[in-house]
Amino acid sequence: MINNALKEKLIKFRKKRDWEKFHKPKDLAISLSIEAAELLENFQWKTDEEISGMLKADKHKRITEEVADIVIYLTYLCNDLGIDINKAVSRKLKINQKKYPSAKVRGSAKKYNEY
């Protein structure tokens, strides 16, 4: 998801500020949820047309910053829990490929236990 050099910059940034003591897994998970909600707030009650226009305007920067906050907290959480995000995503993709075979689910929004 992010390269090792950027990950190390994030870890160094946090360490220089002595924030590890605040970044317990529970708190990072809470922060992830809060940042995801802040991202979602940008889209709340908007039509597809409004969102399209918003993404071409100044809101795009705000949305980008919320996405970055999510990735930062997720990077800290994965680092602290010893999770290799790229391996985790690759494994999950394989699981999802079995759960959602394209021949069965193409064009459907049903969950795997509904088809």
Side-chain angles (χ1 to χ4, degrees):
M1 209 157 138
I2 67 168
N3 64 43
N4 285 333
L6 184 54
K7 176 183 167 184
E8 291 307 315
K9 283 182 182 180
L10 285 171
I11 300 304
K12 187 175 180 179
F13 175 89
R14 179 173 73 167
K15 189 163 192 64
K16 277 187 168 183
R17 287 151 182 82
D18 192 28
W19 286 349
E20 297 96 331
K21 61 186 169 195
F22 306 116
H23 289 181
K24 302 301 179 204
K26 168 191 66 83
D27 300 300
L28 291 170
I30 289 168
S31 297
L32 266 168
S33 182
I34 291 167
E35 294 300 336
E38 289 177 6
L39 173 63
L40 186 57
E41 189 175 33
N42 288 284
F43 299 99
Q44 186 179 25
W45 315 122
K46 305 281 190 307
T47 65
D48 289 344
E49 293 79 24
E50 289 171 319
I51 291 170
S52 181
M54 186 174 73
L55 295 176
K56 295 174 187 164
D58 60 332
K59 284 260 188 172
H60 189 269
K61 181 181 178 205
R62 185 170 168 199
I63 291 166
T64 301
E65 289 176 0
E66 296 301 345
V67 168
D69 287 339
I70 292 165
V71 172
I72 289 167
Y73 282 126
L74 183 59
T75 300
Y76 289 149
L77 183 64
C78 289
N79 179 77
D80 296 354
L81 296 177
I83 296 170
D84 180 320
I85 189 71
N86 293 310
K87 287 180 183 176
V89 170
S90 291
R91 276 194 305 270
K92 186 62 177 178
L93 180 58
K94 288 177 186 175
I95 291 167
N96 286 346
Q97 286 172 330
K98 290 178 183 175
K99 279 181 163 178
Y100 300 99
S102 60
K104 272 190 175 179
V105 302
R106 184 171 176 80
S108 172
K110 291 182 181 178
K111 193 169 176 171
Y112 66 91
N113 61 354
E114 296 176 325
Y115 60 86

